[in-house]
Amino acid sequence: MPDANIAAAETLDAVIIGAGFSGMYQLLCLRDRLGLKVQVLEAGDGVGGTWYWNRYPGARCDSESHSYNYTFSKELFEAWEWSERYPQQPEIMRYLNHVADRFDLRRNIRFGTRVVAARRDEAANLWEVSTAGGETLRARYLITAVGCLSTANVPRIAGLESFAGAWYHTGQWPHAGVDFSGKRVGVVGTGSTGIQAIPVIAETAAELTVFQRTANYSVPAHNAPLTPEFKAWVKGNHAEIRQVTRSTPNGHAFVIANRSVWDVSAEEREALYEAAWDKGGLQFRATFRDLLVDKQANNTAAEFLKRKIRGIVQDPKTAELLADIDHPYAAKRPPIDDNYFATFNRPNVRLVDVRSAPIERITPTGIVTAAGDYPLDIIVFATGFDAMTGPLLALGIEGRDGLPLAEAWAAGPRNYLGLQVAGFPNLFTVTGPGSPSVLCNMPVPIEQHVEWITDCIAHMRAKGLARVEPTEAAMDGWVAEVNAAAAATLLPEAGHSWYLGANVPGKPRVFMPYAGGMARYRETCEAVVAKGYVGFAMT
Ligand code: NA7
């Protein structure tokens, strides 16, 4: 087996960038199943990827724990026991460290190593990968496993550098934690992250001011410790859980009800929503099959959820601001929460509307909006990420003839199956744009992508092929397919969502993930292979 410290001069079979869920499994597949010489480069000082960086208060996965894990190994699945319905960040880190230990992955991962460039040596058919430390590694295959939500989006607000207090982005949280006690804290952002962090910060901060630009739906998570009976059921049902997560559109362990909103009476619908609210979690969206395709159907869920907000939040003005939601339910990533709306009933919490009165600047003492001054000691930016393309473009990848990926994607991402880009031979992107990734319970697409890439590389080696890249025509076809899949849903109706890149100023507005469902995507990928890797040029 190769050592971790591979000499720079040595040519590798593959370099993998990132040691989160994707990179770890990709390493295992290429090293242990194909016997390749592989090096993983990871910017962080430990495994975990997105979870390594997102340590903000309340950080927790929205997928239910029994489905948020690898399923490739029954032994691994049965050896691990989650403690709660939704795993908290530290528990996910324990899981991923357990996986790293169990499969002896660390010896091929170089931590604290940030990739700053990756160029083609076309004559040698190799990728030259440069690190911030000045090293260059050469490899036949380059696989990005950098996650979709790993490039923090810190808004460019005038005066931020002058702020005399401390500020943090939730995706770059200090490992030592932040003490909010006695502090006046401002949270900017009410996406999934803000909605998780706000109730926890409110418990210790002296005052919490929430700056809301776009009001958001949220359904209670109803997190709780798992019972011994449920844990036993999980251990005994690896095959069934795997089968369900692989056959549902979003890779979750629940099935979308096969009924339309219009199949039931208004009373029955209310009762079904009430039951789904009581059950909690992302499965609220699975109450009816047409919530994401029929605007009128969606309205019934939206109205139910807005009524819930008005029922929970005592101050009528605050309730109205929170319920003034401008997009269909689940057209943006639907958050789930632990006491989010009730937090606004606390005397130390207030809501500030920065849609009608936007943030104008930050001063040494706080945030100034068009409506007034808000003195703060700490600002927390829960402002999301330059999603999907951001982490890839940050790698400085240049394809054939020195074409930067940023240039190839100037008008938005173009690739085939979310996995490969023409002009960038032997580059694979795990959970790239055009893959179902972020619309799913992530480990499910990750396992599928990684296994597909592994099989493709095995096929190449078996056939003595050296280069693989998609044809332009295949890319055009896939881009059209991604657009059509999105257009068949209500997802593009949330004009400000990060799915569209709309949260980052200047970013092309293109619906990035594939919305046709994980099961259909898997079938498409399998059909491509069955037809002799149709759409790929292999030479
Ligand atoms: P999101 O979902 O992108 O949410 C970011 C929030 O920050 C959202 O409410 C934004 O409002 C707000 N935001 C962003 N920039 C600004 C500025 N400049 N001023 C005021 N408010 C701003 O990120 P999350 O981290 O919550 O969630 C990301 C994903 O992680 C989530 O979807 C899950 O998949 C896990 P906006 O809506 O743009 O008006």
Side-chain angles (χ1 to χ4, degrees):
M1 283 295 163
D3 288 319
N5 292 317
I6 285 161
E10 204 173 341
T11 298
L12 296 153
D13 293 310
V15 163
I16 299 168
I17 309 174
F21 261 101
S22 308
M24 286 169 58
Y25 185 40
Q26 190 68 75
L27 167 61
L28 186 151
C29 286
L30 295 184
R31 186 192 70 183
D32 297 355
R33 293 187 195 157
L34 302 192
L36 303 190
K37 207 192 292 178
V38 187
Q39 179 69 58
V40 179
L41 303 177
E42 165 57 55
D45 289 326
V47 299
T50 300
W51 294 107
Y52 177 88
W53 302 102
N54 279 270
R55 295 167 186 251
Y56 59 86
R60 190 186 283 284
C61 185
D62 286 349
S63 296
E64 298 196 37
S65 55
H66 65 291
S67 63
Y68 198 71
N69 35 32
Y70 297 108
T71 61
F72 66 85
S73 159
K74 187 167 184 273
E75 294 70 32
L76 167 65
F77 185 89
E78 288 172 354
W80 185 259
E81 195 171 277
W82 294 107
S83 66
E84 293 178 279
R85 181 172 174 189
Y86 306 93
Q88 262 193 314
Q89 182 270 348
E91 191 168 22
I92 301 171
M93 287 294 286
R94 284 198 293 280
Y95 172 70
L96 290 172
N97 277 286
H98 166 79
V99 174
D101 291 339
R102 192 180 177 98
F103 296 100
D104 192 15
L105 297 178
R106 282 194 187 78
R107 67 189 156 91
N108 296 99
I109 306 174
R110 202 174 304 164
F111 295 106
T113 306
R114 186 173 289 281
V115 170
V116 292
R119 297 190 190 87
R120 284 290 294 167
D121 176 346
E122 204 56 47
N125 187 31
L126 293 174
W127 281 97
E128 289 185 347
V129 183
S130 306
T131 70
E135 226 183 331
T136 299
L137 287 80
R138 290 159 66 81
R140 173 61 38 94
Y141 295 100
L142 175 62
I143 301 167
T144 63
V146 289
C148 300
L149 300 165
S150 46
T151 304
N153 173 38
V154 179
R156 277 175 242 141
I157 301 174
L160 175 57
E161 69 293 340
S162 74
F163 184 55
W167 67 266
Y168 309 94
H169 185 280
T170 49
Q172 297 170 336
W173 202 256
H175 286 205
V178 176
D179 182 7
F180 295 104
S181 47
K183 306 284 190 205
R184 296 163 304 173
V185 182
V187 173
V188 182
T190 53
S192 298
T193 301
I195 283 176
Q196 284 188 341
I198 284 162
V200 182
I201 296 174
E203 283 171 16
T204 53
E207 288 171 21
L208 173 61
T209 307
V210 176
F211 296 86
Q212 171 186 279
R213 188 163 70 181
T214 305
N216 219 336
Y217 302 96
S218 187
V219 169
H222 293 315
N223 183 51
L226 296 177
T227 61
E229 295 73 36
F230 188 78
K231 288 179 184 174
W233 177 82
V234 170
K235 273 193 205 290
N237 285 281
H238 167 260
E240 186 188 334
I241 293 166
R242 181 170 154 92
Q243 194 277 328
V244 174
T245 56
R246 285 162 70 98
S247 60
T248 53
N250 298 102
H252 284 285
F254 53 81
V255 177
I256 297 174
N258 187 26
R259 65 176 164 235
S260 160
V261 160
W262 313 120
D263 288 345
V264 298
S265 69
E267 294 71 34
E268 285 169 306
R269 195 179 304 135
E270 188 74 7
L272 287 165
Y273 283 142
E274 202 64 60
W277 174 272
D278 288 343
K279 195 164 191 185
L282 290 173
Q283 35 188 318
F284 187 89
R285 175 173 67 160
T287 312
F288 297 103
R289 65 162 189 263
D290 42 0
L291 287 182
L292 267 177
V293 292
D294 175 343
K295 184 76 182 292
Q296 299 309 319
N298 190 288
N299 280 346
T300 66
E303 285 311 317
F304 175 88
L305 293 172
K306 289 175 186 179
R307 273 200 308 280
K308 282 291 181 195
I309 298 171
R310 295 187 190 106
I312 297 168
V313 180
Q314 288 154 5
D315 173 52
K317 218 172 129 217
T318 305
E320 248 352 275
L321 276 178
L322 289 166
D324 184 17
I325 307 173
D326 63 359
H327 52 276
Y329 167 64
K332 290 176 99 165
R333 167 65 156 68
I336 62 174
D337 70 274
D338 190 3
N339 269 331
Y340 174 63
F341 295 113
T343 295
F344 291 92
N345 295 334
R346 295 177 65 115
N348 65 333
V349 178
R350 67 177 157 180
L351 182 67
V352 171
D353 174 22
V354 295
R355 163 136 304 164
S356 63
I359 295 177
E360 290 184 339
R361 62 187 185 282
I362 293 175
T363 65
T365 54
I367 290 182
V368 179
T369 77
D373 271 21
Y374 299 91
L376 299 168
D377 303 308
I378 296 176
I379 300 174
V380 174
F381 290 107
T383 44
F385 303 90
D386 181 353
M388 304 199 84
T389 49
L392 292 171
L393 297 182
L395 298 173
I397 297 174
E398 291 179 9
R400 208 171 17 243
D401 305 325
L403 178 70
L405 186 61
E407 214 169 287
W409 284 4
R414 289 179 69 238
N415 62 17
Y416 185 37
L417 301 175
L419 292 170
Q420 271 220 306
V421 188
F424 297 77
N426 295 355
L427 167 70
F428 291 97
T429 55
V430 184
T431 66
S435 85
S437 58
V438 291
L439 299 176
C440 301
N441 172 34
M442 285 297 267
V444 177
I446 285 171
E447 279 194 334
Q448 187 273 349
H449 296 338
V450 165
E451 287 165 7
W452 194 95
I453 292 166
T454 305
D455 291 347
C456 179
I457 292 175
H459 170 83
M460 303 266 302
R461 291 171 64 83
K463 301 276 179 198
L465 296 162
R467 256 190 200 84
V468 55
E469 65 180 298
T471 65
E472 287 284 343
M475 274 204 318
D476 288 344
W478 187 247
V479 170
E481 178 107 15
V482 171
N483 287 335
T489 71
L490 300 174
L491 293 170
E493 291 209 15
H496 36 58
S497 93
W498 58 259
Y499 294 154
L500 279 163
N503 62 327
V504 176
K507 189 166 170 170
R509 299 232 173 165
V510 174
F511 194 87
M512 293 183 288
Y514 172 66
M518 185 57 215
R520 197 164 112 198
Y521 174 83
R522 186 189 298 277
E523 281 166 19
T524 305
C525 290
E526 284 170 3
V528 163
V529 175
K531 290 180 196 150
Y533 286 92
V534 63
F536 289 98
M538 291 177 163
T539 53

